[in-house]
């Protein structure tokens, strides 16, 4: 700890966003960056807490946060980057889009603002690329084993990177035109610029990983072909089946799944073009059903498409502004979160259950009812109860369903490989990440369902070791 009084003398500084009036006119990243000198000052706030909960309890990757904070404060940026890269495969992703579980468990956060760990992380990796410190790492030896990774999202890229560094040959199959999965097609450019994703893909290709894009396993290539050609197969296709809302009027035009809307816009920004029937929010009254990150991304995208207005409804109750007693430090806090998209102009309504879509061939409004929640002994909501006489409606000519996902897509590869699925719709695996078919593994959202990018990266890292152990037998 270079400055023993840093946490007492230095306040947390946020980088802020580009002006709202400017950023809603484009899809460029909205978050700004602190200068190197400001980052050094923020790193000085890391206290000698003895037990770094940020490292063990908070970060799924077990990043050695106090160590790289101290090195940054000492102006030893390259050494700090080496410490970060020893555990984190893609800090340029997590430094932009991770909710920062580490900060929620920062010891300083008990009674003050936590250390700006995420900002320090992204500054480190970006300086590494700028200075040329991050270079291709081509394995000196190859094992002769070859692995197919199906899906190029955060879990797939993490598996591929680690297996390649272990000396195995890796082929990544992606059915879309570009690699990146959720990072490329699910997260808007205003949160994660796709040049950042492509920069990492290009680096991994230089390191020897083969990327086969526009290949739909189960359609263009059979599952049986993979079983015969590869020594191991890793399924990292995510949980892409969206949760539907089967209420009266669901067949009306103008009701779409959120990911279809986001995927289409991301393709357009990348220059891929869109289908003839574009899902457009331009000039429309948009209703987003679902209060999570995907719903927030729909809000920001709708505003950039110049919608008339956008409302986001959530069946859950409005969380408290500060940490709820049911999630004491160092747990991830149950509290209200407001994204940059919400700050751009969005009405949010809580405790809302949608009951019917109404319209003449095309949706015109959504009928809904307010709910109250029964809680458990810790005050956490467990069961919604309709409030009698609270019925109301919301005018909408574009409805986006952002209520999560229910599991992997079964037709095609999953059926052909014959792997078993669990009760939640994910691939069923043993303690080593192997599915019911020998030599077939799975990780990330394909197994546990929708989760965080950082958890998918960690799952990929763990699975890579298990696959390597399997190949060594």
């Amino acid at each position: 700890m270079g400055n023993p009084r840093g946490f007492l003398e230095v306040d947390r500084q946020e980088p802020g966003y580009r002006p709202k009036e400017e950023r809603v006119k484009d899809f460029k990243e909205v978050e700004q960056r602190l200068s190197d000198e400001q980052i050094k000052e923020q790193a000085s706030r890391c206290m000698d807490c003895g037990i770094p909960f940020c490292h063990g309890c908070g970060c799924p990757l077990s990043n050695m946060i106090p160590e790289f904070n101290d090195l940054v404060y000492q102006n030893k940026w390259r050494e700090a980057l080496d410490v970060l890269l020893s555990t984190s495969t893609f800090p340029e992703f997590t430094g932009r889009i991770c909710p920062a579980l580490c900060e929620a468990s920062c010891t300083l956060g008990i009674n003050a603002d936590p250390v700006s760990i995420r900002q320090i992380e992204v500054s480190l990796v970006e300086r590494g690329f700028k200075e040329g410190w991050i270079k291709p790492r081509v394995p000196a030896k190859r094992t002769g084993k070859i692995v197919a990774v199906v899906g190029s999202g955060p879990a797939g890229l993490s598996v591929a990177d680690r297996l390649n560094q272990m000396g195995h040959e890796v082929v990544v199959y992606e059915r879309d035109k570009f690699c990146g999965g959720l990072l490329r097609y699910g997260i808007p450019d205003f949160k994660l610029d796709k040049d950042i994703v492509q920069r990492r893909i290009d680096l991994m290709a230089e390191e020897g990983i083969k990327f086969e894009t526009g290949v739909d396993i189960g359609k263009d290539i059979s599952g049986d072909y993979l079983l015969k050609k590869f020594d191991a197969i890793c399924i990292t296709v995510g949980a892409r089946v969206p949760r539907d809302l089967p209420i009266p009027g669901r067949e009306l035009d103008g009701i779409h799944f959120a990911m279809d809307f986001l995927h289409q816009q991301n393709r357009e920004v990348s220059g891929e073009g869109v289908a003839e029937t574009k899902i457009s929010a331009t000039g429309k009254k948009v209703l987003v059903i679902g209060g999570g990150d995907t719903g927030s991304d729909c809000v920001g995208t709708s505003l950039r498409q110049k919608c008339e207005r956008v409302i986001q409804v959530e069946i859950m109750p409005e969380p408290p502004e500060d940490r709820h007693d049911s999630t004491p430090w160092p747990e991830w806090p149950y509290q209200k979160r407001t994204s940059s998209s919400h700050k751009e102009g969005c009405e949010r309504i809580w405790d809302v259950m949608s009951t019917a879509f109404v319209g003449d061939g095309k949706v015109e409004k959504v009928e809904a009812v307010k709910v109250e929640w029964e809680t458990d002994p810790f005050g956490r909501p467990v069961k919604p109860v309709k409030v009698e006489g609270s019925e109301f409606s919301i005018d909408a000519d574009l409805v986006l369903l952002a209520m999560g996902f229910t599991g992997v897509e079964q037709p095609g590869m999953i059926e052909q490989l014959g792997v078993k699925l669990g009760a939640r719709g994910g691939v069923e695996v043993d303690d080593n990440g192997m599915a019911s078919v020998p030599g077939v593994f799975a990780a990330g959202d394909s197994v546990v369902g929708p989760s965080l990018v950082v958890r998918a990266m960690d799952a990929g890292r763990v699975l890579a070791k298990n696959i390597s152990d399997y190949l060594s037998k």
Side-chain angles (χ1 to χ4, degrees):
M1 183 177 66
N3 183 358
R5 294 187 57 82
F7 70 97
L8 296 172
E9 298 171 349
V10 179
D11 293 330
R12 179 183 170 107
Q13 183 176 0
E14 299 291 349
Y17 303 108
R18 292 192 292 133
K20 179 178 69 174
E21 297 75 15
E22 171 191 311
R23 68 183 191 250
V24 295
K25 295 178 181 179
D26 59 47
F27 282 86
K28 298 177 182 177
E29 288 189 0
V30 301
E31 190 172 49
Q32 301 183 113
R33 297 277 174 265
L34 297 175
S35 68
D36 287 353
E37 192 58 36
Q38 289 171 323
I39 287 294
K40 175 183 173 181
E41 189 175 52
Q42 290 301 299
S44 77
R45 300 183 69 239
C46 187
M47 57 196 296
D48 188 9
C49 59
I51 300 177
F53 285 85
C54 60
H55 159 80
C57 178
C59 180
L61 297 171
S62 298
N63 287 340
M64 292 180 282
I65 296 163
E67 286 80 359
F68 69 64
N69 282 341
D70 182 52
L71 289 167
V72 167
Y73 179 70
Q74 297 180 52
N75 273 327
K76 297 179 179 179
W77 286 76
R78 185 162 189 173
E79 292 90 334
L81 178 63
D82 290 340
V83 171
L84 173 60
L85 293 177
S86 69
T87 54
S88 179
T89 312
F90 315 122
E92 67 270 34
F93 302 155
T94 51
R96 285 174 166 82
I97 59 175
C98 184
L101 308 179
C102 51
E103 294 184 18
S105 60
C106 172
T107 303
L108 184 55
I110 294 176
N111 58 1
D113 292 329
V115 176
S116 305
I117 302 169
R118 184 175 63 84
Q119 286 298 322
I120 296 169
E121 179 179 339
V122 72
S123 295
L124 264 175
V125 69
E126 287 306 318
R127 181 158 180 178
F129 275 109
K130 179 182 177 181
E131 300 287 350
W133 299 335
I134 298 177
K135 300 177 180 179
R137 306 157 298 157
V138 180
K141 295 182 179 180
R142 291 293 180 181
T143 64
K145 302 292 185 178
I146 183 169
V147 182
V149 176
V150 185
S152 65
L157 293 180
S158 181
V159 168
D161 178 75
R162 298 281 174 154
L163 285 173
N164 183 60
Q165 291 305 311
M166 293 171 184
H168 307 299
E169 289 189 41
V170 181
V171 179
V172 177
Y173 290 103
E174 171 56 56
R175 70 181 182 184
D176 283 311
K177 183 176 181 179
F178 295 112
C179 287
L182 173 72
L183 300 169
R184 167 79 69 168
Y185 293 100
I187 298 172
D189 286 64
F190 57 78
K191 289 171 63 177
L192 176 61
D193 190 301
K194 299 310 174 278
D195 286 342
I196 300 298
V197 179
Q198 192 59 47
R199 179 179 65 183
R200 177 58 68 170
I201 299 295
D202 292 343
L203 182 66
M204 294 173 69
E206 289 184 66
E207 294 172 336
I209 297 174
K210 297 178 182 178
F211 292 96
E212 298 286 347
T213 59
V215 179
D216 190 349
I217 303 299
K219 183 178 179 181
D220 300 316
I221 294 177
S222 70
D224 187 57
Y225 172 83
L226 293 186
L227 290 169
K228 292 178 180 178
K229 179 176 176 61
F230 293 90
D231 298 300
I233 301 168
C234 182
I235 300 171
T236 53
V237 293
R240 301 184 64 162
V241 179
R243 179 172 285 107
D244 207 344
L245 185 58
I247 57 177
R250 176 62 181 88
E251 74 284 353
L252 294 172
D253 289 340
I255 304 169
H256 303 275
F257 290 116
M259 200 53 67
D260 293 338
F261 176 64
L262 296 175
H263 188 282
Q264 195 175 76
Q265 181 59 61
N266 285 344
R267 286 181 57 202
E268 184 172 344
V269 173
S270 294
E272 293 183 55
V274 296
E276 293 182 5
T277 54
K278 177 182 177 180
I279 306 170
S280 175
T282 305
K284 294 181 180 177
K285 300 181 182 70
V286 181
L287 177 64
V288 179
I289 300 179
D293 289 340
T294 301
S296 168
D297 293 343
C298 288
V299 169
T301 300
S302 296
L303 291 168
R304 283 160 178 76
Q305 290 187 3
K306 296 180 173 57
C307 64
E308 180 179 327
R309 64 103 175 103
V310 57
I311 296 174
Q312 184 178 22
V313 298
E314 167 61 61
I315 191 173
M316 299 297 291
E318 182 174 3
E321 293 289 343
D322 299 314
R323 182 189 290 268
H324 192 269
D325 291 341
S326 65
T327 53
W329 178 90
E331 293 183 16
W332 177 246
Y334 170 59
Q335 68 181 81
K336 186 177 179 180
R337 291 176 174 82
T338 301
S339 71
S340 62
S341 294
H342 293 138
K343 295 176 181 178
E344 291 165 359
C346 168
E347 181 181 355
R348 303 166 77 185
I349 309 176
W350 311 84
D351 297 309
V352 174
M353 178 184 291
S354 303
T355 57
F357 299 113
V358 179
D360 183 12
K362 187 175 183 356
V363 67
E364 298 172 6
K365 65 179 181 179
V366 177
E367 294 182 347
V369 62
K370 296 288 286 183
V371 298
E372 292 180 344
W373 284 82
E374 296 178 357
T375 59
D376 64 14
F378 298 100
R380 294 174 294 205
V382 292
K383 181 181 179 181
V385 179
K386 293 181 181 179
V387 177
E388 189 173 343
S390 67
E391 294 81 4
F392 68 104
S393 64
I394 300 174
D395 291 339
D397 44 16
L398 175 61
V399 177
L400 300 172
L401 305 180
M403 303 177 298
F405 304 86
T406 61
V408 296
E409 297 175 341
Q410 296 185 42
M413 178 188 67
I414 296 297
E415 289 182 345
Q416 291 177 14
L417 291 177
V419 297
K420 293 181 180 178
L421 301 183
R424 298 179 60 186
V427 178
E428 191 175 275
V429 297
D430 62 18
D431 292 341
N432 295 315
M434 186 184 291
S436 56
V437 177
V440 178
F441 297 80
D445 291 4
S446 298
V447 175
V448 300
S451 189
L452 302 175
V453 167
V454 67
R455 295 196 187 282
M457 286 169 51
D458 179 55
R461 176 181 64 169
V462 172
L463 185 61
K465 182 182 183 305
N466 292 340
I467 293 176
S468 186
D469 289 344
Y470 167 80
L471 295 175
S472 299
K473 293 179 180 178

